[in-house]
């Protein structure tokens, strides 16, 4: 009913009993399906009111993938870097075309703080903010959401805490600077190339260091 458009965003779903009768399945199956759809952001249950179709925006549905992507082991996270490189490049390219001067000032502020920080957690937080701000400037919520999902797991692998941290930070900041300079020049091809190179560099460090996964905190995320 949702897929064929019979029920649209904001519509109330029929009762559990009505769905069971209409679809010819047990109420327990309806209940479990509803829970799954809620976990993926397709429906939302309002206490005392019923179950309603969610907004069904691409970004909201994609964001719900964090639940499953957050369970992936390192090998699968590394595999996802092939997708990261494509999306990072596209976001940087769009940001180069669509940014306004204040965006460059904001990104420059993140980068200057990163370059001046010796605190791993602060550097990681700024790194994450820098990359997600580029995705936001790109202006495609679905791309921003997917990058957020992909980063949600990769941030668990803390390459900045290794013995090679100083070298990683130096190369990471150089990569950030190359991305920012190209975006500021409105040079979309160079911005895309710099973003791919930066993501590939992080992939290299993950393969080489193979850090253990650690729980993330929203206050102290780990960047790449």
């Amino acid at each position: 009913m949702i897929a064929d458009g019979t029920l649209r965003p904001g519509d109330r779903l029929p009762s559990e009993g009505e769905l069971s009768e209409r679809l010819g399945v047990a109420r327990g199956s309806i209940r479990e399906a509803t829970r799954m759809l809620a976990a993926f952001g397709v429906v939302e249950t309002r206490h005392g009111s019923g179950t309603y179709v969610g907004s069904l925006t691409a970004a909201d549905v994609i964001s719900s993938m964090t639940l499953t992507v957050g369970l992936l082991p390192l090998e699968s996270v590394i595999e996802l870097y092939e997708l990261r490189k494509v999306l990072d490049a596209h976001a940087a390219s769009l940001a180069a075309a669509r940014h306004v001067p204040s965006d460059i000032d904001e990104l420059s502020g993140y980068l200057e703080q990163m370059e001046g920080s010796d605190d791993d957690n602060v550097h990681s937080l700024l790194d994450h903010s820098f990359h997600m701000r580029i995705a936001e400037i790109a202006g495609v919520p679905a791309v921003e959401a997917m990058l957020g999902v992909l980063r949600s797991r990769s941030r668990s692998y803390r390459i900045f805490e290794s013995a090679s941290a100083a070298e990683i930070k130096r190369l990471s900041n150089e990569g950030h600077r190359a991305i920012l300079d190209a975006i500021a020049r409105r040079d979309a091809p160079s911005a895309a190339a710099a973003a791919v190179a930066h993501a590939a560099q992080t992939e290299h460090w993950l393969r080489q260091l193979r850090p253990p996964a650690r729980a993330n905190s929203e206050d102290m995320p780990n960047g790449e």
Side-chain angles (χ1 to χ4, degrees):
M1 290 185 288
I2 296 175
D4 66 13
T6 301
L7 292 175
R8 302 185 62 79
D11 287 349
R12 186 178 184 277
L13 269 65
S15 68
E16 188 177 284
E18 185 178 345
L19 285 172
S20 176
E21 182 177 349
R22 184 182 301 185
L23 301 176
V25 297
R27 287 194 177 201
S29 298
I30 295 294
R31 197 173 302 121
E32 183 60 27
T34 300
R35 289 195 190 102
M36 291 181 64
L37 289 174
F40 287 105
V42 177
V43 301
E44 57 182 50
T45 300
R46 302 174 189 172
H47 183 68
S49 178
T51 302
Y52 294 79
V53 181
S55 62
L56 295 184
T57 65
D60 285 344
V61 174
I62 289 170
S63 293
S64 70
M65 293 170 60
T66 301
L67 294 170
T68 48
V69 172
L71 302 174
L72 294 178
L74 180 58
E75 285 302 325
S76 294
V77 171
I78 290 173
E79 182 179 347
L80 286 176
Y81 264 81
E82 294 304 315
L83 180 56
R84 269 282 299 273
K85 284 180 277 191
V86 173
L87 292 179
D88 276 339
H90 188 52
S93 177
L94 289 175
R98 298 176 176 177
H99 74 267
V100 296
S102 60
D103 294 327
I104 300 303
D105 292 339
E106 185 177 358
L107 291 172
S108 295
Y110 288 137
L111 183 50
E112 288 170 5
Q113 291 179 73
M114 273 190 278
E115 292 173 338
S117 175
D118 292 323
D119 185 294
D120 291 343
N121 289 320
V122 171
H123 191 283
S124 297
L125 176 59
L126 292 166
D127 177 280
H128 180 67
S129 298
F130 178 86
H131 287 290
M132 291 310 299
R133 183 69 183 106
I134 290 173
E136 184 180 9
I137 294 167
V140 183
V143 171
E144 181 183 353
M146 182 59 78
L147 283 169
V149 168
L150 297 176
R151 291 181 61 83
S152 71
R153 184 54 174 168
S154 62
R155 286 161 53 201
S156 299
Y157 296 95
R158 306 197 172 200
I159 59 175
F160 288 154
E161 295 181 359
S162 71
S164 304
E167 177 69 0
I168 292 173
K169 287 179 182 178
R170 183 184 67 80
L171 293 172
S172 179
N173 287 335
E174 288 179 0
H176 292 144
R177 180 63 65 183
I179 294 169
L180 177 57
D181 287 349
I183 290 174
R185 297 194 310 270
R186 297 195 183 277
D187 185 345
S190 293
V196 170
H198 182 64
Q201 189 175 77
T202 303
E203 179 186 357
H204 164 76
W205 285 113
L206 285 172
R207 289 183 184 278
Q208 183 176 58
L209 298 172
R210 311 195 72 79
R214 291 180 52 178
N216 269 317
S217 164
E218 284 305 309
D219 294 327
M220 296 188 300
N222 189 75
E224 294 89 39

